[in-house]
Amino acid sequence: MESLQKWAEETQSHVEINALPGDFVSMSEPLMVITSSELIDEDSEIDNAQLAGFFNIDNDRTFEEDPRFGLIVLAEIAGRALSPAVNDPGTAIKVIGALERIFCQSPAATAVKDTPKIAYDRISVPKISIADMFNDAFTPIARDGASVVEVGIRLQKALYALELLDNQEMQASAHYHRELAIVRASKALNIEADLQALHTATADHQNVDEKL
């Protein structure tokens, strides 16, 4: 980012990056769009190799640069634990707790009081999608754990806790996945009492909210 910012300052350009860390990029799609008042001359040339050198393009995603990758791996751990060969719902429940803590402690869950200083004013990047992050984290667990009532109950409680955070995107995503998990479970659970337990999993929390 520092090198690209310096290049943009030198060329009086603005760079709009089309991908986030972890995105798959193909040869047929532009990685960035450059707007410049200095480079519009027909005689101007852009060093594509130099620009490409500002990016790390590899075959694998990394935890350090790609927060969604971490969520995907956690969900995969839960999915393997819920497979018939392993049958370890306890690990899936621990993963749900870890995911809840991650979202609760994320910057998006904290109200921003001051406008952050813009470090790279000549670069713009896509916004990280909260909905995509929730899909990465909870869709596999809700799908693979639909027939395990104790996993479903823990998932309902975690999503309800996230639904109470002061972030509208998180609230909407948590509510959507909480309702979707109920629908999935209704197709997989054969005992009415188990399904009813999912419906009432957040009842105690809701009663506390009403009393407060």
Side-chain angles (χ1 to χ4, degrees):
M1 294 292 282
E2 292 88 349
S3 299
L4 186 57
Q5 170 74 16
K6 182 179 179 181
W7 178 89
E9 290 174 349
E10 292 174 350
T11 58
Q12 293 296 303
S13 305
H14 181 271
V15 180
E16 181 180 351
I17 299 175
N18 294 331
L20 286 169
D23 284 351
F24 183 86
V25 294
S26 74
M27 296 289 289
S28 60
E29 299 176 352
L31 188 58
M32 56 187 166
V33 176
I34 300 171
T35 305
S36 175
S37 58
E38 298 291 322
L39 297 175
I40 58 175
D41 191 335
E42 292 182 358
D43 295 330
S44 299
E45 292 185 2
I46 296 178
D47 187 344
N48 290 324
Q50 179 189 15
L51 292 176
F54 296 140
F55 296 84
N56 293 323
I57 301 177
D58 209 333
N59 295 327
D60 300 309
R61 303 169 79 166
T62 63
F63 294 114
E64 292 80 9
E65 305 245 344
D66 182 5
R68 288 183 61 186
F69 182 48
L71 299 176
I72 291 170
V73 170
L74 281 172
E76 288 177 345
I77 291 171
R80 291 192 183 97
L82 290 169
S83 66
V86 179
N87 191 24
D88 179 17
T91 293
I93 289 172
K94 287 184 179 180
V95 169
I96 294 171
L99 290 169
E100 180 183 348
R101 291 193 296 274
I102 288 171
F103 281 107
C104 284
Q105 296 173 14
S106 69
T110 306
V112 178
K113 296 181 180 180
D114 300 320
T115 302
K117 182 180 178 180
I118 299 175
Y120 309 110
D121 61 341
R122 291 187 173 273
I123 305 173
S124 61
V125 297
K127 181 181 178 182
I128 296 178
S129 169
I130 297 295
D132 286 345
M133 295 178 75
F134 268 73
N135 286 334
D136 294 335
F138 297 114
T139 295
I141 299 175
R143 180 193 63 227
D144 297 336
S147 61
V148 185
V149 64
E150 57 265 42
V151 172
I153 289 173
R154 183 65 184 90
L155 185 60
Q156 287 293 309
K157 291 182 177 180
L159 288 169
Y160 183 71
L162 297 178
E163 197 175 336
L164 298 178
L165 295 176
D166 187 19
N167 181 293
Q168 291 185 350
E169 286 186 86
M170 281 196 178
Q171 290 171 1
S173 294
H175 181 77
Y176 170 78
H177 281 276
R178 193 159 67 90
E179 294 294 321
L180 184 58
I182 290 288
V183 174
R184 292 184 187 277
S186 67
K187 304 293 184 181
L189 293 173
N190 299 319
I191 299 176
E192 182 62 30
D194 288 344
L195 189 57
Q196 184 61 31
L198 292 186
H199 283 285
T200 59
T202 60
D204 292 340
H205 297 285
Q206 291 170 345
N207 289 336
V208 170
D209 294 341
E210 291 174 358
K211 291 176 182 178
L212 291 176

